Amino acid sequence: MGEGPGDKPYEQISEELIAERARQQAQREAEELWRQKEAEITKKFRDAMAQEKARIVAEKWKIETEDRKAAKLEEEKIQEELKKREEEERQKGEEQIRQQEEIRAKELYLSLKQAQQHSQHSDDDQEWEEQLRRSKAADEERSHKARRARDEYRRQSLRAIQKGRVAGLSNLFQGTSLNNDQEIKLNNNSSSPLLSLSAASSNIWERPSRPFSRDVIIRWFKEEQIPRRAGFERNTNRIAQWFHGIISRQEAEELLMNKSEGTFLVRVSEKIWGYALSYRQQSGFKHFLVDASGDFYSFLGVDPNRHATLTDLIDFHKEEIITSSGGELLLEPCGQQKNPPDYSPLFE
């Protein structure tokens, strides 16, 4: 399944399996139809022969021996003709069943293919809906924190402004007066915190509900992931060997093709706000989605553990398996084969 140069790709194997299932089911249905058709034909001509024989016997019963011999010859002739007609009808019936089998095989193939595509779309929708739910909860928490921070900032700013004005009035009562330049400076200082807050609000990054382009994914990574040191080695500013950019599943499998079991890489996902961990197993590849829409990193639908950083998740599963059924341990990182690296656009 794509492990060697001469192996068929997964899509072709899937197509052949679906076609074979459709052909076998159509063949079983055709055999059942033929048994019914054969029984019908046999009964039809057996009854016809019995009726003809009864008629001949009734008409020739009292005829002389010579006439009986002639009647026998006539009966054999009729039977031969009936057998010939039976054989012709059998052949015609077989041809009809064969044509029905071919048509049915095509219908079943299309039905199975549509079911497979629907299943793939359903999986993608479930993954996206799960992340959307988590993302909404995280956004609400961030919005709540942001509102509290803005309120606190306004309170502190107003308090500072009020302190400045009180100090100015105190100086005035002590016999010192503010000239026009000082009043302008005071007014400017008093309004600057609110203006700064307004300017900062206009540049706030608002994440869309789902990634819809490479540019949006790159912006998301720069705004949300670089501050969380996603892709970096622990305690250094070097990019981790296992980290890759926005590459497809096929590109990831090509990188892992000739690697040993346990080799892995992490790539930026184009389906969800997060990543895909591509893993080389003995019989092929596995791909796990990593949710990064909240304030933690975790596998979608596989492992409930939450990790503060992407590196924490990777290091954790160097010692602990990802799934009990697969026993996946992250043993060897798969590095870059391109220059510049495929993650370059994320850090430009």
Side-chain angles (χ1 to χ4, degrees):
M1 196 167 71
E3 295 183 4
D7 291 350
K8 297 179 181 178
Y10 174 80
E11 290 79 7
Q12 183 178 349
I13 294 175
S14 178
E15 291 283 333
E16 291 178 356
L17 287 173
I18 291 173
E20 179 61 19
R21 286 178 57 190
R23 187 193 65 77
Q24 290 178 358
Q25 185 170 342
Q27 185 178 12
R28 289 193 294 270
E29 292 179 5
E31 289 173 354
E32 180 61 27
L33 284 173
W34 173 240
R35 283 194 291 270
Q36 296 174 2
K37 187 72 174 179
E38 186 177 33
E40 180 182 344
I41 293 171
T42 301
K43 184 177 183 303
K44 176 181 176 181
F45 286 93
R46 185 187 296 117
D47 292 343
M49 290 175 64
Q51 291 174 2
E52 187 64 22
K53 184 175 181 180
R55 184 186 65 81
I56 293 172
V57 170
E59 291 178 355
K60 303 296 183 179
W61 181 260
K62 295 182 180 181
I63 302 178
E64 296 292 334
T65 303
E66 293 80 5
D67 294 335
R68 290 179 185 276
K69 187 176 180 180
K72 182 65 175 177
L73 292 173
E74 184 178 356
E75 179 185 346
E76 291 176 353
K77 181 180 179 181
I78 292 173
Q79 288 180 350
E80 187 67 27
E81 181 66 24
L82 288 172
K83 286 182 180 179
K84 182 179 179 181
R85 288 169 56 190
E86 179 181 359
E87 183 62 27
E88 290 175 352
E89 191 155 346
R90 281 178 180 275
Q91 292 176 357
K92 183 179 179 181
E94 288 176 352
E95 180 62 22
Q96 289 176 346
I97 295 298
R98 186 187 64 78
Q99 292 175 357
Q100 291 178 5
E101 179 183 350
E102 291 178 355
I103 294 171
R104 184 60 175 157
K106 292 178 181 178
E107 291 175 350
L108 290 169
Y109 170 80
L110 292 174
S111 176
L112 291 170
K113 187 67 175 176
Q114 290 172 356
Q116 182 191 50
Q117 293 172 350
H118 178 71
S119 175
Q120 291 172 350
H121 292 321
S122 297
D123 291 343
D124 290 344
D125 290 342
Q126 289 174 0
E127 291 167 355
W128 178 76
E129 287 173 0
E130 171 65 16
Q131 190 187 51
L132 182 60
R133 183 186 63 77
R134 293 189 183 185
S135 178
K136 284 181 178 178
D139 286 344
E140 290 175 0
E141 179 66 21
R142 279 195 293 270
S143 297
H144 180 67
K145 290 180 180 178
R147 282 196 299 272
R148 289 195 335 201
R150 285 197 295 269
D151 293 342
E152 180 64 24
Y153 186 78
R154 289 193 185 100
R155 283 195 296 271
Q156 295 294 337
S157 299
L158 291 172
R159 188 177 301 167
I161 292 168
Q162 290 171 354
K163 286 182 179 179
R165 286 178 176 171
V166 169
L169 291 172
S170 177
N171 290 333
L172 180 62
F173 285 123
Q174 291 174 6
T176 59
S177 61
L178 292 173
N179 58 29
N180 291 336
D181 292 338
Q182 288 172 320
E183 289 177 2
I184 294 171
K185 185 176 181 180
L186 178 61
N187 291 336
N188 288 340
N189 288 338
S190 66
S191 61
S192 61
L194 298 178
L195 291 173
S196 299
L197 181 63
S198 176
S201 299
S202 65
N203 293 323
I204 292 177
W205 153 254
E206 294 184 3
R207 183 205 306 158
S209 61
R210 66 191 305 174
F212 56 83
S213 71
R214 291 177 67 89
D215 290 340
V216 169
I217 296 172
I218 292 172
R219 174 77 188 277
W220 164 78
F221 184 85
K222 291 179 178 180
E223 294 286 346
E224 298 189 23
Q225 296 301 294
I226 289 181
R228 297 170 68 181
R229 292 184 52 81
F232 287 92
E233 291 181 351
R234 189 185 302 277
N235 301 326
T236 75
N237 289 325
R238 292 193 301 269
I239 305 299
Q241 187 178 357
W242 42 260
F243 186 75
H244 289 256
I246 308 172
I247 62 173
S248 66
R249 174 190 291 231
Q250 182 178 353
E251 290 174 305
E253 291 181 355
E254 289 175 357
L255 290 171
L256 295 169
M257 180 66 68
N258 298 318
K259 304 297 183 180
S260 59
E261 184 176 11
T263 306
F264 69 98
L265 61 85
V266 175
R267 53 193 170 89
V268 179
S269 174
E270 295 180 276
K271 289 183 179 179
I272 65 169
W273 296 117
Y275 304 88
L277 188 150
S278 298
Y279 180 84
R280 183 69 163 99
Q281 59 180 2
Q282 186 175 8
S283 59
F285 310 94
K286 282 187 176 180
H287 303 274
F288 302 96
L289 287 177
V290 179
D291 179 24
S293 62
D295 296 329
F296 54 84
Y297 297 84
S298 65
F299 284 116
L300 275 179
V302 176
D303 179 14
N305 290 308
R306 297 180 175 185
H307 305 273
T309 68
L310 185 59
T311 302
D312 287 344
L313 182 146
I314 297 302
D315 289 347
F316 179 80
H317 287 291
K318 289 179 180 179
E319 304 293 335
E320 300 291 336
I321 59 175
I322 299 175
T323 65
S324 57
S325 59
E328 305 88 354
L329 279 178
L330 305 181
L331 303 179
E332 185 69 27
C334 179
Q336 296 285 326
Q337 293 184 1
K338 292 182 178 180
N339 190 17
D342 53 36
Y343 55 67
S344 296
L346 301 173
F347 297 95
E348 290 176 350

